[in-house]
Amino acid sequence: QVQLAESGGRLVQAGGSLRLSCAASGRTFSSYAMGWFRQAPGKEREFVAYITWSGGNTDYADSVKGRFTISRDNANHTVYLQMNSLKPEDTAVYSCAAKSRVGVQSSPRNYDYWGQGTQVTVSS
């Protein structure tokens, strides 16, 4: 089992940067692929980024490609989301999730464990 805890969310101006962290407990962390999702008020949860267990492959939503970077440190059981050139439409609760199921990485249904989320607010 894996427990996840996100941190790093806050209020930031448009054009600014933030780095979110997702700390994982459990010795099996390195065997999980990891994803970041976000959910804005009144909207469905949306895929943001994905990274394989080794960190060798990543994937991004088109809306964040070129601005966000996902990375992981298996030794420290942490996944990061570096967010640059932030826009007001990036405002949402950001959650990390651990995936071991077969299936597309952009579907929340294919993830086993979720964190509580951290609020990111981008002001215009």
Side-chain angles (χ1 to χ4, degrees), residues 1-123:
Q1 188 161 348
V2 177
Q3 292 184 326
L4 305 172
E6 303 91 340
S7 62
R10 62 177 176 86
L11 174 64
V12 63
Q13 287 190 333
S17 297
L18 279 178
R19 188 176 81 158
L20 305 183
S21 298
C22 171
S25 64
R27 287 177 287 181
T28 60
F29 169 75
S30 60
S31 65
Y32 286 87
M34 298 294 296
W36 283 98
F37 289 77
R38 66 187 183 186
Q39 188 167 20
K43 294 188 177 181
E44 292 189 354
R45 183 174 282 173
E46 174 189 25
F47 169 74
V48 175
Y50 166 85
I51 189 166
T52 54
W53 67 270
S54 67
N57 287 292
T58 58
D59 187 29
Y60 298 91
D62 287 342
S63 59
V64 307
K65 204 168 289 184
R67 299 188 298 124
F68 289 12
T69 302
I70 188 171
S71 61
R72 68 188 296 162
D73 180 348
N74 284 341
N76 289 306
H77 290 196
T78 304
V79 177
Y80 303 99
L81 184 68
Q82 177 66 43
M83 306 187 295
N84 299 329
S85 302
L86 283 162
K87 305 175 181 179
E89 51 263 44
D90 294 319
T91 295
V93 174
Y94 284 71
S95 300
C96 63
K99 178 182 185 294
S100 66
R101 303 175 191 176
V102 174
V104 295
Q105 56 262 30
S106 59
S107 173
R109 293 176 293 182
N110 293 327
Y111 288 76
D112 305 271
Y113 303 104
W114 291 82
Q116 293 297 311
T118 185
Q119 177 70 48
V120 172
T121 303
V122 184
S123 64

